[in-house]
DNA sequence: TATGAATGAGTGTTCATTCAT
DNA sequence: TATGAATGAACACTCATTCAT
């Protein structure tokens, strides 16, 4: 999910504005919403390539041609799932951040928001994470832009933290590590075994912010300048 | 890569012993080695489902039926790539750990080994990470067992650290977070932009062990008991 | 066609009842009927294994995938041909038998019905006779059940004859011999050379009932107890 | 097995003469004999089309190329099996007939010989019966000629019977019916259930010669002129 | 609004066979 | 005497998609 070339300066612009940048439909009727949900399930289970339109047809209780009546292609379905998911998680985090002050708490807010959404929409989020590079050209670019915008939110929070605490670390590397940590959960999370989103967010927030142990007292040299462990 | 249900007690048993537990071929001639390498490339680029045997045939400069002369199925190719990759990274980390004392340094050793191997064999490692749940039945079980064994090595190192420093954190959660952090790099790593394996390992080791910032002095309450940030 | 293990007691139950026992489609539209007819021709000419779906596609003037729109597999096509053929010949013989009294005449009725149907639907009947053991599992079992039911009709007629005339012969052996005699015609029958169904039925009926010559007058010992000719 | 167009006048010429008409090999070494036997088994079980050269290779414990070292093609294998089987049964019946006088006993001899051979070499005989029309061109013609010769032996015996007893029936129809009766056994014969060859020959001989019951006394009209049962 | 009919291109896999050794 | 390597053609079947209704 985190972008490869985060050079964009887009920070928080996401298309819920009255004049959408994208010409693509963003409002869905009941049928479409149902199809998208089923499609997310199937893509989640079988992967985008592994899922056939017939699978989707079967899963949504609709004829093959019915699917095409609502959505013009398989690729568009993936695009819409990814875009909708991304837009929602973006809206959500931006709304939450408005009420939170303090860089650390703001980072924790993003983590919590991410994990809550992830666990509440595991299937869609897996599709987002796992089918990251499937979409090509314009469609792919649009999702990539959303991803970049989301990424830059975290970068901004990290920069704020660095500034306010006079710290020195790579925002890029830290952000990507944090996203990795969080997005990876789709490979292992088991609702019956693992903690809920809030607890998970607590653990991952602690881990990300302070690590699993205190740094050794004897080391006087600033930690962040090490270039390798030996 | 990290397993969902790490209940197995397998720790370090991996089949490089003279009498291999698995009946499956583990030695390859020149042709087979070449095919496996090309297949890893193609799987990496297009995904397992998205790659066709014809793609593999083209990439390896061999006829479609020629491929089947060497490997009985597409699934077996994926299996062999995954198994060989996992076996190698396992062997490697076990060998390195023998020369290292101190729980923290041992964890850093695993991180360094993982990232060095990951970057040196990016394609195979992406296939390992991304096509995690494709293999079914016996083949899938065998790879899953390797994964579990690898996972348990890290768990062991974390338990050692906890014990020696009287710490209290979830080994499972920490291990899975670390693997997520590391495995996610296949989605963003750019050789020309990002640091090399050693530096990356340094950064991720620091992050994992000590976080990005000092814990606040005022907090007297043990960190690890928080259940969320609010 | 005659079954190997006629232990079933099914006699005349065949699914033309309003509520069919089998869940499998038995009504076909025009296209399906045409495809089935062409398929029977091709199976007849090349054998089931020897006929490819492309052959069937060509013969029915329809694209390969079009075929699959109507029938889910090659096996199902064979099954439907066999089942339909068997059902029809069964219905037909049962209807005819209702109007006939006297064991000998009833046997002659079955022979006539069999041969008339055989010659009128040579291709389908060859497919029935020649591809006897191709179908596996449920599909094969269903056709085998029909075959057994048909076989048991003849057995019943023979038992009636034995009882009414105080004869002693093996119904099983006689029935299987008669079926062999009749079914074998697909290997030799030439419309321009050989007699029509009625004449053939007359000849085979005579042969089956009375043989090609009078038994020798000198032999007083009951014929049927011989255990070989020497 | 019985020929469609028995116009040939060949009666008993079969190629064991010092100067074989056919240029094709008829003597086999141990390896070849073994391969032919295994091939007959596999053809019997899976059918000619359904059996692959790899199946034959596996069954004969020899590499695929090994097979081609001994036999030039799959078709040739079928040809050799069919030819050898036919030649043997022909030789056998001719030898036996030399010692038997009386038309009826000679017919019974042919029946016994046929069934004994059939049951002793069920697999090869099924291949003969079932894969009747697979062979094309020269190879097919050669086997067809053997078949015709064998058929004409029976025709000769029937003509003798007709002449000596002043009977009137169709030799062709009777011969083909008898062959059908006998050859069909591959579809139903079960060693544990059914009688042995001698008993079977007795039953089928009786059936063929005298039918299952006495002709009705009241009928004065010569039996053989009926043209159907109604 | 919704679907059955239909298809060209493609899927993984197997085929009988050849050839160098 | 015997085989591993290699292949072009074919296999049954599925794909995403279109179109008339």
């Amino acid at each position: 999910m985190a972008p490869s070339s985060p050079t964009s300066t887009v920070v928080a612009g996401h298309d819920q504005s009255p004049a959408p940048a994208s010409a693509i439909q963003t409002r869905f009727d009941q049928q479409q919403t149902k199809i998208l949900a089923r499609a997310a399930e199937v893509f989640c289970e079988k992967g985008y390539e592994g899922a056939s339109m017939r699978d989707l047809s079967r899963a949504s209780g609709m004829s093959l041609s019915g699917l095409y009546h609502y959505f013009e292609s398989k690729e568009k379905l993936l695009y819409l799932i990814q875009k909708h998911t991304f837009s929602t998680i973006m809206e959500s985090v931006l709304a939450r951040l408005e009420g939170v002050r303090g860089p650390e708490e703001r980072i924790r807010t993003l983590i919590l928001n991410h994990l809550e959404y992830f666990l509440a929409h595991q299937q869609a989020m897996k599709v987002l994470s796992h089918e990251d590079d499937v979409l090509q050209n314009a469609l792919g670019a649009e999702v990539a832009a959303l991803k970049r915008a989301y990424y830059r939110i975290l970068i901004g929070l990290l920069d704020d933290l660095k500034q306010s605490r006079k710290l020195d670390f790579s925002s890029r590397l830290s952000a990507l590590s944090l996203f990795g940590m969080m997005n990876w959960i789709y490979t292992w999370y088991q609702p019956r075994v693992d903690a809920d989103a809030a607890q998970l967010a607590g653990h991952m927030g602690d881990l990300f912010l302070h690590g699993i142990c205190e740094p050794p007292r004897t080391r006087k040299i600033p930690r962040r300048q090490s270039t390798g462990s030996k």
Side-chain angles (χ1 to χ4, degrees), chain A:
Chain A
M1 272 170 57
S4 308
S5 44
T7 51
S8 161
T9 54
V10 175
V11 175
H14 54 294
D15 64 350
Q16 55 176 351
S17 50
S22 157
I24 300 288
Q25 172 186 17
T26 47
R27 291 278 153 222
F28 307 111
D29 65 24
Q30 214 179 338
Q31 281 274 34
Q32 287 174 311
T33 304
K34 180 186 160 193
I35 293 172
L36 284 171
R38 302 294 193 203
E41 286 169 25
V42 177
F43 286 159
C44 174
E45 191 188 350
K46 306 193 160 190
Y48 175 77
E49 296 279 3
S52 77
M53 287 300 276
R54 268 181 170 77
D55 291 331
L56 302 187
S57 149
R58 222 170 291 128
S60 55
M62 168 169 284
S63 77
L64 201 42
S65 343
L67 242 50
Y68 280 94
H69 178 72
Y70 288 108
F71 299 101
E72 57 189 284
S73 72
K74 189 184 173 190
E75 204 185 8
K76 211 67 151 242
L77 271 169
L78 177 59
Y79 160 78
L80 288 169
I81 291 168
Q82 293 198 334
K83 181 171 164 179
H84 181 256
T85 305
F86 242 137
S87 303
T88 309
I89 202 172
M90 287 262 301
E91 280 179 43
S92 169
V93 75
L94 289 173
R96 281 187 176 203
L97 282 175
E98 288 192 6
V100 182
R101 298 289 150 234
E104 181 169 336
E105 278 312 298
R106 284 169 70 82
I107 291 169
R108 286 187 183 272
T109 298
L110 184 143
I111 294 173
L112 178 62
N113 184 75
H114 195 91
L115 292 177
E116 276 184 348
Y117 195 83
F118 215 119
L119 296 188
H121 307 86
Q122 265 195 85
Q123 291 160 332
M125 287 303 284
K126 178 180 172 187
V127 172
L128 204 53
S129 297
H130 199 248
E131 312 297 346
D132 183 41
D133 50 2
V134 173
L135 256 18
Q136 304 289 338
N137 307 324
L139 262 32
E142 206 176 335
V143 173
L146 276 172
K147 188 166 67 174
R148 215 175 296 125
Y150 187 55
Y151 162 83
R152 293 209 62 83
I153 293 172
L154 178 55
I155 291 289
L157 300 182
L158 292 175
D159 287 344
D160 290 348
L161 181 75
K162 275 202 291 196
Q163 204 172 355
S164 71
R165 303 244 190 124
K166 317 281 181 209
L167 296 170
D168 177 32
F169 55 85
S170 159
S171 294
R172 170 175 161 82
L173 203 48
S174 304
L176 294 167
S177 295
L178 178 56
F179 278 128
M181 206 184 297
M182 293 192 297
N183 292 336
W184 197 246
I185 64 172
Y186 82 79
T187 68
W188 55 263
Y189 189 78
Q190 297 179 101
R192 310 225 170 147
V193 172
D194 292 300
D196 64 19
Q199 286 179 290
L200 229 50
H203 284 122
M204 287 194 177
D206 291 344
L207 177 56
F208 178 68
L209 291 164
H210 316 303
I212 58 173
C213 61
E214 302 274 319
R217 300 280 144 178
T218 54
R219 258 214 248 174
K220 296 292 176 202
I221 311 144
R223 285 209 321 269
R224 227 45 62 189
Q225 293 179 357
S226 72
T227 58
S229 59
K230 347 190 208 177

